[in-house]
Amino acid sequence: MTLQVLSMRDIVEAEMPDYDSLLGEGLIVPNGKVVGYGPPESYKSIYAQQLLYKLSQGEDFLGHTVHKAVNTWYVELEIAERQFQIRTQHMASYGGGVSDKAYYSHPHVFILSDNKAADALIEQANQYEIEVLFLDPLNLILNGSENNDEHIRELMHMLDRVRERAEHKPAVGIIHHSNKGLYSADGQAVDRGFNEVSGSKGIIAWPDTIFNLKRVKSPPLTVRETWQKARYQTPPEPQWLTFSEEKVMLEFAEDGPEGRLKAFLRDNSPASTVEVDEQLRLAGLSQAGARNYRKQATAAGWLDEQPDPTQHRAKLYRLAEGE
């Protein structure tokens, strides 16, 4: 193989297009690589299916801008067929109707083991003009062990073959699981970053973008969505989502940190540091997380911090004007 060699001037003066974005600011791009992961019961599959559904509609997804409607293909191997149908029916009922750009496969077995299997995906991706393809979960498409670097490398080669050889150069995503979570003494999830991803570190080295869902112990049915890696832009701030048992979909959590704190401060201003942090802990943050979130909210401009005139070094908090 001969490598193309460019001078510095070649690169500086070349006319190169900016990266297009399908979701958010570079979260999912054409021909991109995505990994989503989280522990059991963190609604990973529902999140993935809902994400592709909204991409197929061209409608924003949980606060992330969808820039255009694209043909999507969700390959789901884990849940029972009837359960998958119920999820899809609810999505159509509550999410805006049936999308003619959303495609699904629900095979009992599908292992991406060799070029033949990859080429079968490519053929179908071409047939349906697929621009975003997600496979869920990794361990059921993998020919081998997730702890084996060589097995993971082979899988990533197959996924790249699909990305590069399919006619519409689709973005490809895989859904994976994490190691068992750790919790602080007050019952809140401890963030260990990429160390939570189960298996070979090749899994997190491959993608352009990585999102994590982590279920918090309080309030119920709530997960924290964190985009931990975004190659083309700075990842957005984490946000809290709640699972609607009626809709079988994820929605913004009314009791997330921002919503809970704003509601509290509208009736209880000014509030002390202790009172503010208590509201943030009720929203699912650890003690350290509450302290960091308070600082971020102040820097963002919607939380106003002032000295407490009655106590040395103490602070009082209220909503900024206009909030």
Side-chain angles (χ1 to χ4, degrees):
M1 176 180 179
T2 301
L3 297 178
Q4 181 184 19
V5 179
L6 301 174
S7 71
M8 184 177 182
R9 184 173 299 280
D10 291 334
I11 294 175
V12 169
E13 297 180 353
E15 293 184 7
M16 295 185 181
D18 289 334
Y19 289 106
D20 291 330
S21 183
L22 301 177
L23 179 72
E25 296 301 320
L27 297 180
I28 297 181
V29 301
N31 202 225
K33 301 176 284 187
V34 184
V35 168
Y37 77 97
E41 299 182 352
S42 58
Y43 309 115
K44 301 183 296 295
S45 295
I46 289 174
Y47 183 95
Q49 185 177 356
Q50 190 173 336
L51 165 58
L52 266 64
Y53 172 58
K54 288 301 178 183
L55 282 169
S56 75
Q57 291 179 306
E59 296 182 0
D60 291 355
F61 168 68
L62 296 173
H64 304 297
T65 301
V66 171
H67 296 280
K68 67 173 183 176
V70 295
N71 286 10
T72 66
W73 184 15
Y74 179 49
V75 180
E76 210 290 331
L77 295 100
E78 196 164 37
I79 65 174
E81 191 171 12
R82 175 56 179 153
Q83 184 183 3
F84 183 72
Q85 183 188 33
I86 291 172
R87 284 186 185 179
T88 307
Q89 289 171 335
H90 279 74
M91 209 159 283
S93 296
Y94 292 99
V98 172
S99 170
D100 292 330
K101 288 180 169 288
Y103 296 93
Y104 302 97
S105 292
H106 193 265
H108 294 293
V109 178
F110 178 75
I111 298 175
L112 197 55
S113 57
D114 53 25
N115 289 345
K116 183 177 179 181
D119 290 344
L121 280 181
I122 292 168
E123 181 179 352
Q124 291 181 287
N126 290 343
Q127 179 181 353
Y128 295 101
E129 301 180 340
I130 299 302
E131 295 182 67
V132 181
L133 163 65
F134 271 39
L135 300 107
D136 179 11
L138 177 148
N139 64 296
L140 293 184
I141 65 169
L142 175 64
N143 185 32
S145 168
E146 67 184 39
N147 296 304
N148 185 297
D149 290 342
E150 184 60 32
H151 294 168
I152 290 298
R153 192 176 300 113
E154 290 173 358
L155 175 64
M156 300 314 171
H157 285 328
M158 294 301 102
L159 295 174
D160 285 337
R161 183 182 180 91
V162 174
R163 291 173 47 249
E164 296 300 333
R165 299 198 178 193
E167 182 179 350
H168 293 276
K169 305 295 184 187
V172 173
I174 52 175
I175 303 302
H176 189 40
H177 60 90
S178 61
N179 295 312
K180 186 176 181 180
L182 294 179
Y183 293 87
S184 61
D186 59 359
Q188 302 306 325
V190 175
D191 187 0
R192 295 184 293 144
F194 295 146
N195 289 325
E196 296 177 355
V197 178
S198 179
S200 165
K201 295 310 176 187
I203 296 170
I204 59 173
W206 175 75
D208 303 319
T209 52
I210 299 175
F211 66 82
N212 169 250
L213 298 178
K214 182 176 293 184
R215 191 162 178 174
V216 299
K217 290 193 173 182
S218 176
L221 306 180
T222 301
V223 294
R224 185 183 67 189
E225 173 216 67
T226 307
W227 288 82
Q228 295 178 321
K229 176 182 178 183
R231 180 165 294 171
Y232 306 105
Q233 295 288 342
T234 301
E237 292 295 324
Q239 60 182 6
W240 277 253
L241 309 172
T242 188
F243 175 66
S244 168
E245 294 181 306
E246 176 188 7
K247 300 177 182 179
V248 196
M249 295 178 71
L250 289 163
E251 303 174 318
F252 286 115
E254 293 181 3
D255 283 342
E258 183 174 344
R260 174 180 282 274
L261 184 55
K262 284 183 175 180
F264 174 77
L265 289 175
R266 288 189 183 104
D267 297 324
N268 299 277
S269 286
S272 68
T273 301
V274 171
E275 292 171 323
V276 168
D277 286 0
E278 176 62 20
Q279 292 301 312
L280 294 174
R281 292 179 67 189
L282 288 172
L285 293 176
S286 65
Q287 184 172 353
R291 182 171 60 251
N292 291 334
Y293 189 89
R294 173 165 39 83
K295 293 178 179 179
Q296 292 169 3
T298 302
W302 62 264
L303 182 63
D304 184 44
E305 178 187 87
Q306 297 292 334
D308 185 341
T310 66
Q311 297 186 55
H312 179 60
R313 299 180 66 179
K315 303 293 184 181
L316 292 175
Y317 296 88
R318 54 171 50 87
L319 291 177
E321 187 175 351
E323 293 289 341

PDB file of all heavy atoms in Angstrom, residues 75 119 171 198 210 259 266 298 308:
ATOM      1  N   VAL A  75     -31.012  -2.876  14.091  1.00  0.00           N
ATOM      2  CA  VAL A  75     -30.936  -4.333  14.174  1.00  0.00           C
ATOM      3  C   VAL A  75     -30.893  -4.705  15.649  1.00  0.00           C
ATOM      4  O   VAL A  75     -29.909  -4.426  16.341  1.00  0.00           O
ATOM      5  CB  VAL A  75     -29.696  -4.873  13.430  1.00  0.00           C
ATOM      6  CG1 VAL A  75     -29.647  -6.399  13.531  1.00  0.00           C
ATOM      7  CG2 VAL A  75     -29.711  -4.424  11.966  1.00  0.00           C
ATOM      8  N   ASP A 119     -20.955  -8.156   4.030  1.00  0.00           N
ATOM      9  CA  ASP A 119     -21.484  -7.862   2.697  1.00  0.00           C
ATOM     10  C   ASP A 119     -22.993  -8.027   2.632  1.00  0.00           C
ATOM     11  O   ASP A 119     -23.670  -7.343   1.859  1.00  0.00           O
ATOM     12  CB  ASP A 119     -20.798  -8.737   1.658  1.00  0.00           C
ATOM     13  CG  ASP A 119     -19.331  -8.353   1.444  1.00  0.00           C
ATOM     14  OD1 ASP A 119     -18.944  -7.245   1.867  1.00  0.00           O
ATOM     15  OD2 ASP A 119     -18.580  -9.166   0.872  1.00  0.00           O
ATOM     16  N   ALA A 171     -23.498   6.089   8.901  1.00  0.00           N
ATOM     17  CA  ALA A 171     -22.959   6.061  10.256  1.00  0.00           C
ATOM     18  C   ALA A 171     -23.358   4.730  10.874  1.00  0.00           C
ATOM     19  O   ALA A 171     -24.478   4.244  10.669  1.00  0.00           O
ATOM     20  CB  ALA A 171     -23.526   7.215  11.076  1.00  0.00           C
ATOM     21  N   SER A 198     -17.419  -2.436  29.540  1.00  0.00           N
ATOM     22  CA  SER A 198     -17.022  -3.827  29.717  1.00  0.00           C
ATOM     23  C   SER A 198     -16.214  -4.310  28.516  1.00  0.00           C
ATOM     24  O   SER A 198     -16.519  -3.987  27.371  1.00  0.00           O
ATOM     25  CB  SER A 198     -18.263  -4.707  29.878  1.00  0.00           C
ATOM     26  OG  SER A 198     -17.913  -6.067  30.033  1.00  0.00           O
ATOM     27  N   ILE A 210     -19.210   8.674  21.774  1.00  0.00           N
ATOM     28  CA  ILE A 210     -19.637   7.687  22.769  1.00  0.00           C
ATOM     29  C   ILE A 210     -20.679   8.339  23.665  1.00  0.00           C
ATOM     30  O   ILE A 210     -20.462   9.452  24.173  1.00  0.00           O
ATOM     31  CB  ILE A 210     -18.459   7.211  23.642  1.00  0.00           C
ATOM     32  CG1 ILE A 210     -17.381   6.539  22.793  1.00  0.00           C
ATOM     33  CG2 ILE A 210     -18.937   6.257  24.726  1.00  0.00           C
ATOM     34  CD1 ILE A 210     -16.141   6.145  23.570  1.00  0.00           C
ATOM     35  N   GLY A 259     -34.382  21.461  36.498  1.00  0.00           N
ATOM     36  CA  GLY A 259     -35.809  21.675  36.729  1.00  0.00           C
ATOM     37  C   GLY A 259     -36.156  21.717  38.206  1.00  0.00           C
ATOM     38  O   GLY A 259     -36.931  22.579  38.660  1.00  0.00           O
ATOM     39  N   ARG A 266     -37.780  29.324  42.816  1.00  0.00           N
ATOM     40  CA  ARG A 266     -38.879  30.253  42.532  1.00  0.00           C
ATOM     41  C   ARG A 266     -39.704  30.531  43.787  1.00  0.00           C
ATOM     42  O   ARG A 266     -40.317  31.596  43.905  1.00  0.00           O
ATOM     43  CB  ARG A 266     -39.759  29.695  41.416  1.00  0.00           C
ATOM     44  CG  ARG A 266     -39.088  29.748  40.041  1.00  0.00           C
ATOM     45  CD  ARG A 266     -40.031  29.394  38.917  1.00  0.00           C
ATOM     46  NE  ARG A 266     -39.321  29.383  37.639  1.00  0.00           N
ATOM     47  CZ  ARG A 266     -38.948  28.294  36.987  1.00  0.00           C
ATOM     48  NH1 ARG A 266     -39.249  27.095  37.497  1.00  0.00           N
ATOM     49  NH2 ARG A 266     -38.281  28.378  35.858  1.00  0.00           N
ATOM     50  N   THR A 298     -23.844  28.460  38.014  1.00  0.00           N
ATOM     51  CA  THR A 298     -23.453  29.850  38.248  1.00  0.00           C
ATOM     52  C   THR A 298     -22.682  30.388  37.048  1.00  0.00           C
ATOM     53  O   THR A 298     -22.926  31.507  36.579  1.00  0.00           O
ATOM     54  CB  THR A 298     -22.601  29.947  39.524  1.00  0.00           C
ATOM     55  OG1 THR A 298     -23.337  29.425  40.634  1.00  0.00           O
ATOM     56  CG2 THR A 298     -22.228  31.391  39.806  1.00  0.00           C
ATOM     57  N   ASP A 308     -23.556  35.860  51.723  1.00  0.00           N
ATOM     58  CA  ASP A 308     -24.574  35.908  52.772  1.00  0.00           C
ATOM     59  C   ASP A 308     -24.152  36.970  53.786  1.00  0.00           C
ATOM     60  O   ASP A 308     -23.114  36.821  54.445  1.00  0.00           O
ATOM     61  CB  ASP A 308     -24.686  34.543  53.448  1.00  0.00           C
ATOM     62  CG  ASP A 308     -25.814  34.485  54.473  1.00  0.00           C
ATOM     63  OD1 ASP A 308     -26.272  35.553  54.915  1.00  0.00           O
ATOM     64  OD2 ASP A 308     -26.219  33.363  54.839  1.00  0.00           O
TER      65      ASP A 308
END
